[in-house]
Amino acid sequence: MNATAMAPTAAAAGPTATAPATSTATATAPETSNATATVAASLALRTKLTPTVPVLRAATAALWRPDGLRERYVRYLAAMHPLVRASVPLLVRAAERCAAEPDDPAARRLAAYCLRHAEEERDHDAWLLDDLAAAGAGPAAVPHPIVVELAGAQYYRIEHEHPVALLGYIAVLEGNAPGPRLADRLAEVTGLPGGAFRTLREHAELDGGHLDDLYRVFDALAPSPARQTAVSVSALHTANLLTRLFLSLAEDTGGHP
């Protein structure tokens, strides 16, 4: 999971939701009702996130403006490292919490997704350390406070609400994956070596597929209205915090971490 600009947010990314052919059938067919409900879960989430798109884009435009970009990019890497480092532990903990509900088929499906995605995200924090080293910097001594809030809110939701809420967090982070040309543009403007941009390049290729997978899983869970709300609230909170993080990094003139 990596959040950058230059790509649509989760509201706009992900698979296109098209009405199933059975959607015109009568309400007496239970299969049709279930299909409609599962399609609505991911579609409703994207719809709720739509107002966050222009706000996040404005924040990321400020983050990647040309003046002072070299120092700002290094600050971005240092901020992202602890956030990405939290990804695997969050996913594993969500799977453990799902295991506490052995009679819930949706919990089993969610646990399988979390463990699979944890393996996909493993060692991505090491990529950021390599990027920082290539840029002549190291990790931040203290995580950015908003990064702590981003990850910490998910620990709370996993423990005290339901682990399904983590899907909203992932949807926003991977819905704001780097665009395919961002790394090249930043390398040109900053003059930093190509080795400082591995994380951006890798996530530009990976996160679109990850987001498609997330929406398929979310629909397959056939979540109840309460669980859909938990995912939506988590996603909107994440979008707000991510916007604040980008604006904070854009405004910081402190130089290298």
Side-chain angles (χ1 to χ4, degrees), residues 22 25-39:
T22 57
T26 64
T28 58
E31 293 84 358
T32 300
S33 298
N34 289 340
T36 303
T38 55
V39 168

Side-chain angles (χ1 to χ4, degrees), residues 220-234:
L221 294 177
S224 66
R227 290 186 180 179
Q228 288 192 52
T229 297
V231 172
S232 298
V233 169
S234 175

Side-chain angles (χ1 to χ4, degrees), residues 44-246:
L45 178 59
R46 292 196 298 273
T47 301
K48 289 176 182 177
L49 282 169
T50 297
T52 71
V53 174
V55 180
L56 262 169
R57 284 182 176 168
T60 51
L63 178 63
W64 300 136
R65 69 186 188 276
D67 61 290
L69 183 54
R70 183 184 180 107
E71 292 76 16
R72 202 158 54 250
Y73 176 65
V74 175
R75 291 198 301 273
Y76 164 82
L77 291 176
M80 288 297 105
H81 173 251
L83 187 66
V84 172
R85 185 174 57 189
S87 297
V88 171
L90 280 169
L91 287 159
V92 170
R93 184 57 187 151
E96 291 171 347
R97 293 288 292 154
C98 287
E101 301 182 38
D103 297 327
D104 183 351
R108 292 197 298 272
R109 186 185 295 267
L110 179 59
Y113 164 78
C114 288
L115 292 176
R116 181 176 75 251
H117 195 48
E119 289 308 308
E120 293 169 344
E121 295 293 329
R122 196 169 299 281
D123 298 327
H124 290 197
D125 55 320
W127 296 355
L128 281 158
L129 291 178
D130 291 343
D131 289 349
L132 282 162
V142 177
H144 195 293
I146 299 176
V147 166
V148 174
E149 189 174 353
L150 273 160
Q154 296 309 307
Y155 280 109
Y156 179 91
R157 290 190 164 99
I158 290 168
E159 296 295 336
H160 302 294
E161 295 179 7
H162 191 280
V164 74
L166 186 63
L167 296 183
Y169 173 80
I170 299 171
V172 171
L173 295 187
E174 296 194 341
N176 286 276
R181 293 180 295 276
L182 178 61
D184 290 338
R185 184 172 74 84
L186 296 184
E188 180 180 356
V189 175
T190 64
L192 290 168
F197 300 94
R198 178 185 179 184
T199 303
L200 290 185
R201 294 187 195 282
E202 295 280 359
H203 281 272
E205 295 182 8
L206 295 173
D207 282 357
H210 287 174
L211 189 63
D212 291 345
D213 186 33
L214 180 147
Y215 281 131
R216 283 192 294 268
V217 169
F218 189 35
D219 286 341
L221 294 177
S224 66
R227 290 186 180 179
Q228 288 192 52
T229 297
V231 172
S232 298
V233 169
S234 175
L236 290 168
H237 187 200
T238 301
N240 175 265
L241 290 172
L242 192 61
T243 300
R244 288 172 49 201
L245 176 62
F246 288 164

